[in-house]
Amino acid sequence: MPDDALPRTLRSARDLVAAGLLPAASAPAAEAVAARYAIAVTPAVAALIGDVSDPLGDPIGLQYIPDAAELVTAPHEADDPTADAPFTPVKGVVRRYPDRALLKPLLACPVYCRFCFRREVVGPDGGLLTEAELEAAIAWLAATPAIREVILTGGDPLMLSPRRLASLLSRLAAIPHVEILRIHSRVPVADPARVTPALAGALGREKPLYLCVHANHEREFTPEAGSALRRLRGVATLLGQSVLLRGVNDREAALEALFRAMLRHGVKPYYLHQLDPAPGTARFAVPEAEGLRLVGALRGRLSGLGQPLYVKETPGGGGKVPVRAAFLGF
């Protein structure tokens, strides 16, 4: 790849072709995909794609490079597979459980995964909640005493400026019945340069803070990601979440390597998600029975520290359940 191919985030089919990550012949199909679903490949991610001659055959490239298959929606796929909309009491808040709620302060991410379950709504124009919308969301959380945990998601909360992030966390921590704060983010592995001392310092220490790092392959844990994670370990408990993806981590050795990489960086594997059936994601699907076999095989290869809970979303916004229970019918 030319030295000048990685100066900025790649956001179009033209950018991907220029960077050598997409054959020119595939550009029209990628442009059609981009008209519906956002593209963003950071320099950190682009540098990880090992086989630029076939990025869709590379476990990193497969996660981020658009493919024409995304425009084919299977019968079982849905625009809102986790049913955020029916459980949204005010804009930006999702409550599917009695004791916790999601807060989505923005719908922009540093990268756009081709399997994202919110792919219909996230993008560079997702923007922030307005001040009035954020006020209404925080007021709802403050007026709902059953909420003990607030989970910042989106979009990616670590895309917020340190000032905005610090202000938001401080306001949430000031709610007496909120005991735990959690952030879900791709930033530490996909754009580690964003994890500056100022950003880490914005995370605050008023209430217990958990940061869930989304990573799906061991190669995502670069030296730069390691530096970002060391910085974050000083201010938050780090957990790992992954999605079981065909062609990315659907082998025993790949999952073992991923979870060992997490542990080496102080990240406790927390959730391994069954793929949510978002539109155009069928190429990533791994059958639940195969997932159960893979997870079972890990029990003889990793200690309990390296064992995430294998979960899936139940239909209609019923929340997460262990895949074993769903697969066996109880």
Side-chain angles (χ1 to χ4, degrees), residues 84-125:
D84 281 5
F87 296 91
T88 298
V90 295
K91 187 173 181 179
V93 173
V94 178
R95 184 191 189 186
R96 287 194 294 266
Y97 302 94
D99 67 331
R100 75 209 85 143
L102 306 180
L103 176 59
K104 299 183 289 186
L106 78 170
L107 292 174
C109 300
V111 289
Y112 294 104
C113 304
R114 310 323 302 170
F115 51 86
C116 178
F117 66 92
R118 291 199 179 106
R119 65 201 321 248
E120 292 283 358
V121 295
V122 296
D125 298 326

Side-chain angles (χ1 to χ4, degrees), residues 102-110 118 128 150-166 168-169 172 182-188 194 199 202-203 209-212 241:
L102 306 180
L103 176 59
K104 299 183 289 186
L106 78 170
L107 292 174
C109 300
R118 291 199 179 106
L128 299 163
V150 176
I151 301 152
L152 297 184
T153 182
D156 195 313
L158 295 192
M159 293 287 284
L160 293 169
S161 70
R163 180 186 62 80
R164 282 183 177 270
L165 187 58
L168 177 56
L169 290 172
L172 294 172
R182 193 185 340 157
I183 297 173
H184 285 230
S185 178
R186 259 298 209 181
V187 162
R194 186 176 288 275
L199 183 70
L203 297 184
L209 176 66
Y210 294 82
L211 197 154
C212 287
Q241 64 168 6

Side-chain angles (χ1 to χ4, degrees), residues 236-313:
T237 299
L238 303 186
L239 304 174
Q241 64 168 6
S242 307
V243 182
L244 184 60
L245 299 168
R246 177 71 70 201
V248 175
N249 55 23
D250 59 327
R251 294 176 295 108
E252 294 170 23
L255 286 176
E256 179 183 359
L258 169 62
F259 299 141
R260 288 193 184 280
M262 287 185 178
L263 292 175
R264 285 197 304 273
H265 289 85
V267 179
K268 166 66 178 79
Y270 174 48
Y271 276 148
L272 175 63
H273 293 268
Q274 182 68 9
L275 180 72
D276 292 316
T281 62
R283 65 194 170 115
F284 292 104
V286 177
E288 292 176 24
E290 186 176 346
L292 286 170
R293 181 191 65 76
L294 289 167
V295 170
L298 291 178
R299 298 202 177 278
R301 304 171 70 138
L302 288 168
S303 74
L305 284 174
Q307 304 285 344
L309 185 62
Y310 181 30
V311 296
K312 68 176 291 185
E313 292 282 350

Side-chain angles (χ1 to χ4, degrees), residues 19-31:
L21 296 177
L22 187 73
S26 299
E31 288 170 355

